[in-house]
């Protein structure tokens, strides 16, 4: 599966449209990951707290969204463009790739919640494909 | 047996009590057919599913969406025994309809997204967790009798 040119445009346009709320989206998505899938908290033992909307969650949610926007800018070559991030996740963070799917679920719910009129089925399809390809690119250097 | 907190029970009851089945059912099924096009394999006799607009405007899809959503009512009324409640439906989906059980998960994901759009910020993280837990139990029960 790969993104068609049309789908790339849909992804760029949609993420461009919602960029002003990207910090909220990141915070909301990460908060939900930790609440809906509590096992993900295991990656954050070193934080002071993992409570919804707390400072460390907000800071890291914004960080993750930054990575997603970086990927939006590299749609024509996700694997190549995200090599460094992949190495980070593979060798340092060692996040089990199953969690990328869980995070995708959370971000899709947040996008639907915050932009019910813009997150049409067609946009949902393109974004879901993008997130799946992003996850694959991140897992590239794992083994 | 699945343990439900008071919050989870009341959340599920509330969501379904306030749900507009005629809107949510059609939207969820249509979204599933658009976002996961391979699910269209089960609807060969539904007519025009050639593109997103056709799917979203298809009256057979809309109707079936309502049927499927109302199918959840039994689980809502029998939260302490969803597995037994759906044993017969599970056999039906396996032996007669031959539906790959992974599709239940795909439809459940789409349902969460449609409900999130309907409820807006009322679909808090805790509400999302309760709703997805409920759907996960339903999905598991529907796949239980496959062999």
């Amino acid at each position: 599966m790969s993104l068609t040119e049309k789908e790339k445009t849909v992804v760029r346009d949609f993420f461009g449209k919602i960029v002003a709320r990207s910090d909220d989206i990141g915070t909301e998505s990460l908060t939900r990951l930790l609440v809906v899938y509590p096992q993900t908290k295991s990656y954050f033992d070193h934080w002071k707290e993992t409570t919804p909307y707390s400072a460390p969650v907000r800071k890291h949610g914004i960080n993750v969204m930054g990575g997603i926007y970086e990927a939006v800018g590299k749609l024509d070559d996700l694997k190549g463009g995200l090599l460094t991030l992949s190495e980070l996740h593979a060798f340092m963070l060692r996040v089990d790739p199953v969690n990328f799917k869980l995070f995708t679920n959370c971000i899709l719910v947040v996008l639907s919640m915050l932009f019910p009129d813009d997150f049409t089925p067609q946009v949902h399809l393109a974004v879901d494909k993008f997130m799946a390809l992003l996850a694959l690119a991140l897992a590239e250097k794992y083994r | 047996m699945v343990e439900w907190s008071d919050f989870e029970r009341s959340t599920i009851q509330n969501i379904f009590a306030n749900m507009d089945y005629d809107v949510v059912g059609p939207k969820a099924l249509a979204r599933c057919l658009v976002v996961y096009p391979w699910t269209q394999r089960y609807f060969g006799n539904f007519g025009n599913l050639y593109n997103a607009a056709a799917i979203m405007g298809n009256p057979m899809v809309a109707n079936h969406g309502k049927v499927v959503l109302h199918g959840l009512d039994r689980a809502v009324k029998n939260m302490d025994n969803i597995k037994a409640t759906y044993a017969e439906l599970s056999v039906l989906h396996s032996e007669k309809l031959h539906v790959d059980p992974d599709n239940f998960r795909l439809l459940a994901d789409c349902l969460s997204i449609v409900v999130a759009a309907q409820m807006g910020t009322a679909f808090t993280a805790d509400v999302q967790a309760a709703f997805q837990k409920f759907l996960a139990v339903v999905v598991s029960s529907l796949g239980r009798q496959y062999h």
Side-chain angles (χ1 to χ4, degrees), chain B residues 24-45:
Chain B
V24 172
K27 278 190 174 177
L29 183 58
R31 192 168 280 255
C32 189
L33 295 171
V34 169
V35 178
Y36 309 110
W38 54 93
T39 58
Q40 292 168 28
R41 74 189 304 284
Y42 302 107
F43 303 103
N45 61 335

Side-chain angles (χ1 to χ4, degrees), chain B residues 105-123:
Chain B
R105 185 184 58 82
L106 299 180
L107 180 58
D109 283 351
C110 288
L111 185 55
S112 295
I113 287 188
V114 170
V115 169
Q118 298 291 117
M119 290 179 66
T121 45
F123 198 66

Side-chain angles (χ1 to χ4, degrees), chain A residues 74-129:
Chain A
K74 300 181 174 177
L75 286 182
D76 291 322
D77 180 20
L78 280 173
K79 275 202 190 132
L82 297 177
L83 262 178
T84 321
L85 269 177
S86 181
E87 280 168 358
L88 175 74
H89 284 76
F91 305 129
M92 267 202 65
L93 305 176
R94 287 175 291 193
V95 174
D96 190 314
V98 74
N99 296 287
F100 303 151
K101 286 204 177 112
L102 303 184
F103 184 77
T104 294
N105 168 250
C106 292
I107 195 175
L108 293 180
V109 166
V110 170
L111 292 176
S112 179
M113 192 181 82
L114 295 178
F115 311 102
D117 299 320
D118 293 297
F119 196 64
T120 61
Q122 298 93 316
V123 169
H124 176 174
L125 168 58
V127 174
D128 192 36
K129 278 178 76 171

Side-chain angles (χ1 to χ4, degrees), chain B residues 74-93:
Chain B
R74 268 188 282 171
V76 175
K77 294 193 174 85
N78 292 292
M79 283 177 69
D80 289 317
N81 211 353
I82 294 178
K83 198 164 71 177
T85 301
Y86 281 145
E88 231 182 274
L89 260 180
S90 178
V91 170
L92 174 82
H93 281 77

Side-chain angles (χ1 to χ4, degrees), chain A:
Chain A
M1 274 191 296
S2 50
L3 286 168
T4 63
E5 287 309 314
K6 187 155 177 251
E7 285 164 346
K8 286 182 194 171
T9 306
V10 168
V11 170
R12 288 188 190 111
D13 287 350
F14 181 70
F15 277 90
K17 194 169 184 182
I18 64 176
V19 68
R21 305 262 339 241
S22 84
D23 286 359
D24 288 337
I25 296 168
T27 305
E28 194 67 58
S29 301
L30 188 58
T31 288
R32 276 156 199 272
L33 180 72
L34 300 167
V35 169
V36 178
Y37 305 105
Q39 68 272 20
T40 57
K41 288 190 286 191
S42 64
Y43 289 97
F44 304 108
D45 279 339
H46 56 288
W47 282 1
K48 213 168 74 174
E49 53 184 331
T50 51
T51 32
Y53 314 106
S54 58
V57 174
R58 184 164 176 81
K59 180 161 177 253
H60 193 61
I62 293 173
N63 198 15
V64 171
M65 273 316 278
I68 292 176
Y69 269 89
E70 198 188 314
V72 173
K74 300 181 174 177
L75 286 182
D76 291 322
D77 180 20
L78 280 173
K79 275 202 190 132
L82 297 177
L83 262 178
T84 321
L85 269 177
S86 181
E87 280 168 358
L88 175 74
H89 284 76
F91 305 129
M92 267 202 65
L93 305 176
R94 287 175 291 193
V95 174
D96 190 314
V98 74
N99 296 287
F100 303 151
K101 286 204 177 112
L102 303 184
F103 184 77
T104 294
N105 168 250
C106 292
I107 195 175
L108 293 180
V109 166
V110 170
L111 292 176
S112 179
M113 192 181 82
L114 295 178
F115 311 102
D117 299 320
D118 293 297
F119 196 64
T120 61
Q122 298 93 316
V123 169
H124 176 174
L125 168 58
V127 174
D128 192 36
K129 278 178 76 171
F130 162 63
M131 292 300 295
L133 290 165
L134 170 49
L136 267 177
L138 275 181
E140 181 66 20
K141 305 299 274 179
Y142 269 58
R143 54 174 175 174

